Amino acid sequence: MEYKQWNIQIWISEDDDDALTTATAVLFTPDGKRHESVAHARRNPGDRPVPGIGDELAAGRALSDLASKLIEDGANDVAQMASPA
C-alpha cells in the first residue's frame, strides 16, 4: 500500500478592531496543483472580542471551501475519464 501526505497551510489575519478575521487555506499537491480558498468570520459588534472564535470559524470555512473544490476537481477528472475520446 502506498501512503501519501498532503499538507495544508492556513494563514489567519484579523483587522485592527478584531471585527473581521480572514483565513487563507492553501494545498499544494505532489503533482504540482495548487488549491486555495479564502474565507471570513465577522464578529457581531455587540459581542466581546474573542479572537480564537473568529480563527476557528474563518479557518473552518476556508477548509470547507477547499474540500468542495477538491471534490469538484475529482468529479471533473472522473467525468473526463468516462467520456469517449
Side-chain angles (χ1 to χ4, degrees):
M1 176 180 268
E2 179 183 353
Y3 290 95
K4 299 177 184 178
Q5 179 173 329
W6 289 9
N7 295 305
I8 298 170
Q9 293 183 317
I10 303 173
W11 290 270
I12 298 173
S13 63
E14 297 163 351
D15 66 356
D16 290 337
D17 60 355
D18 293 328
L20 178 68
T21 302
T22 301
T24 303
V26 179
L27 166 67
F28 292 97
T29 61
D31 62 355
K33 289 184 182 175
R34 181 181 191 274
H35 301 275
E36 179 178 321
S37 290
V38 178
H40 307 281
R42 203 173 286 281
R43 180 175 54 87
N44 182 318
D47 292 343
R48 64 184 175 92
V50 181
I53 294 172
D55 294 355
E56 292 168 345
L57 289 171
R61 290 172 180 158
L63 289 170
S64 178
D65 185 61
L66 186 60
S68 293
K69 288 178 179 179
L70 290 170
I71 291 168
E72 184 178 329
D73 285 352
N76 289 337
D77 290 345
V78 168
Q80 284 182 338
M81 298 292 288
S83 31

